[in-house]
Amino acid sequence: MRLINQQLSPVAATALKFAPFLVLILAYLLGSSLRLAENPNDKLLPALTSIADAVDLMAFTPDRRSGDYLLWTDTWSSLKRLAAGLGISTALALVIGVCIGILPFFRALLAPFVSFVSMVPPLALLPILFISMGLGETSKIALIVIGVAPIMIRDLAQTVLALPREQIVKAETLSASSWLIALRIVLPQALPRLLGSLRLQLGPAFLFLIAAEAISADSGLGYRIFLVRRYLSMDIIFPYVAWITFLAASADFGIDRFRRWLFPWSQLEAGR
Amino acid sequence: MTALTLRNVWKEYGDQIVIENLSLDIAPRSFVALVGPSGCGKTTLLRLLLGQERATRGTIMLDGAALPDEPGPDRGVVYQRYSVFPHLTVLGNVMLGPELQSARVVGRSFGAARRHLNEAARQMIADVGLAGSEDKYPAQLSGGMQQRLALAQALMMKPRVLLLDEPFGALDPGIRTDIHHLMKRLWDERPMTVVMVTHDLREAFTLGTRVVALGRKRNRPEEADRYGASITNDIDIWPPRVAGARTLFNTEYALGWDDPTVQAVTSGRPDQPPET
Ligand SMILES: Nc1ncnc2c1ncn2[C@@H]1O[C@H](COP(=O)(O)OP(=O)(O)OP(=O)(O)O)[C@@H](O)[C@H]1O
Ligand SMILES: [Mg+2]
C-alpha cells in the first residue's frame, strides 16, 4: 500500500502525537543529568527540582520587595498588551479589509498603501515608537499593531475579493444595498477567515510583545526573561518560555473552537 | 408586463468578440429558451440582460427604457453555480431577499413580519421540493438541490424578469419533471418574463414559448475570436403557448409521460397521461 494511504489505528495516532514531546523531555532530562554529573553548579540545563523551586518562587511565593506573585503579574501585563494590540489589529483588519474588498474607491486609495506599509520591518520602527510615544504601554501596543495589522488587512481584503462575483450580483438582485451586502453577505463570510488569520498572527504578536518588553518595561513575561538572563537563571527562563508557549497554543486552540461554534458552515465548506 | 429589446448589441472582451450585432425582441410574458454550443456566449448574454456587464455597443431596453446600469430586484437570476450563500441555511437563503428589502439598515426582520416571511419561505421551499431541508447548509445539499434553492430564493423577490442559466442541468428526470411543472405554474401565475439557457432541446421545446439558438455564423478556428455569436435560429413554438392559458396540446402532461424511463422514476402508472 502507498504510504499516503496508510491507516493509523487511534492508539498509534495518539502515541505518535505524544512521541515528539516525550523525546524532547527525555532529551532535556538526559542532557541535564549528564551536565550536572560533571559540574553540580552548572546553570545551563537545571534539574527538574530546581525548575520546580523556581516555579514555586515565581508563581506561588509573594515577591519580597513588592509582595506580588510575579508570574501572574507578568502574565497579566503581557496579556493586556497583547489583547489590546491584537484587538485593535483585528478591528482595523475588519473595517479596512472589507472596505478594500468591496469598495473600488477604498481599493484604489488604500490597497497599494497597505501593501507598502506591510513591508516596513516593525522592529526597525521600535526606536521611533519609543522616542515618539514614550516608554509606556502605547508604544508596545503600537508595535504589535504595526506588526500584524497590515498583514491581516491584506489577508482579509484578499478573502473578500475572492468571493465569487456571482454572489455579490445575486445579492444585488435580492435588492441589497452596498451596506447590506457588506453586512449580510461579505462580513459573515469574512469573519471565519479573520479568526484564522488572527490565529496565524499570534506568533508574530508575541514576538513583537517580547521584543518591546525586553527593551523597556517594569513587568511582563518578556521583561522577566530578559531581566533574569543577567543571572543566567535558566531555571526561570525555561518555565517562562513553556508558559508563553502554552498561552499561545491555548489561544490558538480556543480561537479555532470559537470559529467552529460560531460559524458551523465554515467547517462544512472546508471539508468539500 | 415586461418586454426586453436588444438592438445591435456587441460584447467584446479585449480582442475577443463574444456577441456580434445581436438584435432580439422579447415580448412580455414570453418564456425564451436560449440554446447554443458551449462557449458561444449564452451566459454572457444573460449577464448583459442582468446588468452585470455592459454591452460594448448597442442598446438594451427594458419596457422601452434603457436597462439600469446595475442589477436590481426586478431581474432575478439563477446562475450555473455560486447562486446560493454558503453561510446561510436553506431557510435563511430563501428569506434573505425579502429581509434585505424590508430592513434597509439591519438586513433582518423580526417579530410578526419575520413569522409571516418564515411561513412564505417554507411554502416556497416546499414548492421546489426541498421540504425537510430547511435547516441544512448549501454544502450539505446536492448540486440539483442547490439549484432548486437558488430558484426559490430568486422567486421570493417576485422578479419581472427571471434569468436562468442551465438551472436544471444537474437534476434527475423525475425531479426535473416536477420542477418543470413548478416552473410552468409560476410562469402562468406571475407576470414574469423568463429567459432560460439550456442544453436540453426537449426542455427548451417543452417549457418555452420561443426557442432562440445562439451560434457563430463563421466557424473557422483561426478566426474564432474575430467573429462573435448572434442568433442563428429563432423558433416560435406552435401552437402558441400563452402564460396562464391552455393550449391545443395539453401541456400540463408531465414531461415524458410517454417515456418509460421517466415513468419508472415519477409514478407507478404506465400507459396513460397523468391527470392534472
Ligand atoms: N470575463 C470574461 N473575460 C474574457 N472572456 C470571457 C469572459 N467571460 C466569458 N468570456 C468568453 O466568452 C465566451 C462565451 O462565454 P460564456 O460563458 O458566455 O459561454 P456559454 O455559452 O455560457 O457556455 P456554456 O454553455 O459552457 O456555459 C467564452 O469563449 C469565454 O472565453
Ligand atoms: Mg454558460
Side-chain angles (χ1 to χ4, degrees):
Chain A
M1 190 192 265
R2 287 181 192 80
L3 289 175
I4 54 165
N5 291 328
Q6 197 177 9
Q7 304 267 348
L8 295 175
S9 73
V11 180
T14 315
L16 285 174
K17 208 184 306 181
F18 286 107
F21 293 96
L22 217 63
V23 169
L24 185 67
I25 293 170
L26 286 177
Y28 180 88
L29 290 180
L30 185 70
S32 158
S33 59
L34 283 178
R35 285 186 72 102
L36 287 172
E38 216 167 274
N39 170 15
N41 290 326
D42 181 65
K43 293 204 109 183
L44 196 61
L45 298 177
L48 283 190
T49 47
S50 14
I51 290 184
D53 287 345
V55 170
D56 184 53
L57 181 74
M58 300 307 290
F60 306 111
T61 320
D63 182 49
R64 255 175 290 139
R65 225 172 317 144
S66 59
D68 290 335
Y69 295 86
L70 289 180
L71 178 66
W72 308 118
T73 46
D74 286 340
T75 305
W76 179 236
S77 350
S78 285
L79 286 187
K80 265 194 305 193
R81 291 167 189 147
L82 199 70
L86 284 175
I88 293 172
S89 305
T90 308
L92 283 177
L94 195 61
V95 175
I96 302 179
V98 168
C99 282
I100 291 178
I102 63 174
L103 298 174
F105 178 85
F106 280 98
R107 197 175 314 141
L109 180 73
L110 289 179
F113 181 70
V114 172
S115 307
F116 180 76
V117 168
S118 70
M119 292 301 154
V120 175
L123 286 179
L125 284 182
L126 191 53
I128 304 178
L129 293 177
F130 277 143
I131 293 166
S132 58
M133 300 180 169
L135 298 174
E137 300 298 299
T138 325
S139 51
K140 298 186 191 67
I141 294 170
L143 179 69
I144 297 177
V145 172
I146 290 171
V148 305
I151 296 175
M152 289 178 77
I153 292 173
R154 284 179 76 180
D155 185 57
L156 202 72
Q158 276 304 312
T159 310
V160 174
L161 276 171
L163 287 178
R165 188 72 205 162
E166 282 84 351
Q167 271 193 28
I168 308 292
V169 175
K170 179 87 192 205
E172 290 178 65
T173 68
L174 298 179
S175 78
S177 58
S178 300
W179 159 248
L180 285 174
I181 290 175
L183 184 72
R184 295 250 14 223
I185 310 299
V186 172
L187 197 64
Q189 295 191 71
L191 282 176
R193 180 55 186 253
L194 183 68
L195 291 179
S197 124
L198 179 62
R199 278 173 74 198
L200 290 178
Q201 293 305 317
L202 280 172
F206 261 108
L207 167 73
F208 298 127
L209 174 76
I210 289 169
E213 287 180 345
I215 293 175
S216 144
D218 44 24
S219 69
L221 297 165
Y223 160 77
R224 193 69 53 197
I225 290 179
F226 278 82
L227 182 74
V228 300
R229 181 187 65 108
R230 293 181 209 156
Y231 316 110
L232 293 180
S233 298
M234 296 299 259
D235 51 346
I236 295 179
I237 295 179
F238 275 127
Y240 260 70
V241 172
W243 175 238
I244 292 172
T245 312
F246 174 77
L247 289 176
S250 320
D252 183 67
F253 181 80
I255 294 172
D256 194 41
R257 277 299 138 117
F258 182 63
R259 173 184 65 82
R260 288 186 196 202
W261 173 74
L262 208 57
F263 310 107
W265 58 269
S266 64
Q267 204 59 21
L268 295 170
E269 287 293 302
R272 274 158 87 83
Chain B
M1 296 300 99
T2 310
L4 279 163
T5 313
L6 292 90
R7 282 277 162 274
N8 307 99
V9 170
W10 295 66
K11 179 67 193 175
E12 297 164 20
Y13 288 111
D15 276 348
Q16 187 187 0
I17 301 176
V18 178
I19 288 177
E20 176 174 336
N21 203 18
L22 187 147
S23 295
L24 182 66
D25 280 293
I26 298 176
R29 301 282 330 244
S30 33
F31 194 128
V32 176
L34 199 58
V35 299
S38 184
C40 73
K42 304 183 294 298
T43 300
T44 307
L45 182 58
L46 280 200
R47 286 208 202 110
L48 291 174
L49 293 177
L50 191 59
Q52 178 182 351
E53 306 249 3
R54 266 170 242 177
T56 318
R57 268 171 279 165
T59 48
I60 303 178
M61 316 235 270
L62 187 66
D63 278 339
L67 193 78
D69 274 348
E70 55 176 12
D74 53 344
R75 281 154 296 150
V77 65
V78 175
Y79 283 110
Q80 269 171 301
R81 55 207 186 112
Y82 302 127
S83 252
V84 291
F85 299 105
H87 62 291
L88 297 172
T89 60
V90 168
L91 189 62
N93 263 293
V94 176
M95 285 169 62
L96 183 67
E99 273 193 297
L100 293 173
Q101 199 161 37
S102 56
R104 298 305 287 173
V105 178
V106 290
R108 269 172 209 284
S109 50
F110 299 96
R114 188 175 188 85
R115 275 195 300 282
H116 277 130
L117 180 53
N118 193 307
E119 240 162 68
R122 280 175 191 278
Q123 183 56 49
M124 181 59 82
I125 290 169
D127 279 348
V128 297
L130 286 178
S133 301
E134 285 87 350
D135 296 323
K136 289 201 173 128
Y137 286 98
Q140 295 166 307
L141 302 179
S142 71
M145 291 162 93
Q146 291 189 19
Q147 286 304 75
R148 278 182 281 163
L149 172 58
L151 186 63
Q153 186 182 45
L155 287 171
M156 285 298 278
M157 299 304 288
K158 305 193 166 59
R160 297 192 295 158
V161 179
L162 185 61
L163 304 167
L164 308 170
D165 199 349
E166 295 178 41
F168 313 130
L171 301 182
D172 70 70
I175 294 182
R176 196 185 268 243
T177 310
D178 292 349
I179 203 123
H180 283 164
H181 273 280
L182 170 72
M183 209 48 243
K184 256 199 73 53
R185 201 190 82 215
L186 292 164
W187 173 68
D188 274 340
E189 288 170 3
R190 298 179 176 201
M192 93 187 153
T193 306
V194 182
V195 180
M196 177 180 76
V197 172
T198 178
H199 280 299
D200 181 350
L201 280 178
R202 196 164 70 158
E203 181 173 83
F205 281 95
T206 324
L207 285 177
T209 56
R210 180 176 173 193
V211 178
V212 173
L214 215 58
R216 289 207 178 84
K217 289 185 172 140
R218 272 162 285 207
N219 236 339
R220 300 212 345 249
E222 60 272 25
E223 55 191 21
D225 281 1
R226 299 309 309 154
Y227 294 102
S230 54
I231 293 170
T232 53
N233 250 313
D234 187 348
I235 305 162
D236 281 314
I237 301 293
W238 199 92
R241 210 172 264 151
V242 180
R246 293 197 143 208
T247 56
L248 262 176
F249 293 134
N250 185 350
T251 51
E252 296 295 311
Y253 285 167
L255 169 65
W257 63 269
D258 53 350
D259 181 342
T261 52
V262 178
Q263 282 282 306
V265 184
T266 49
S267 76
R269 284 185 312 169
D271 302 335
Q272 73 210 83
E275 306 293 326
T276 43

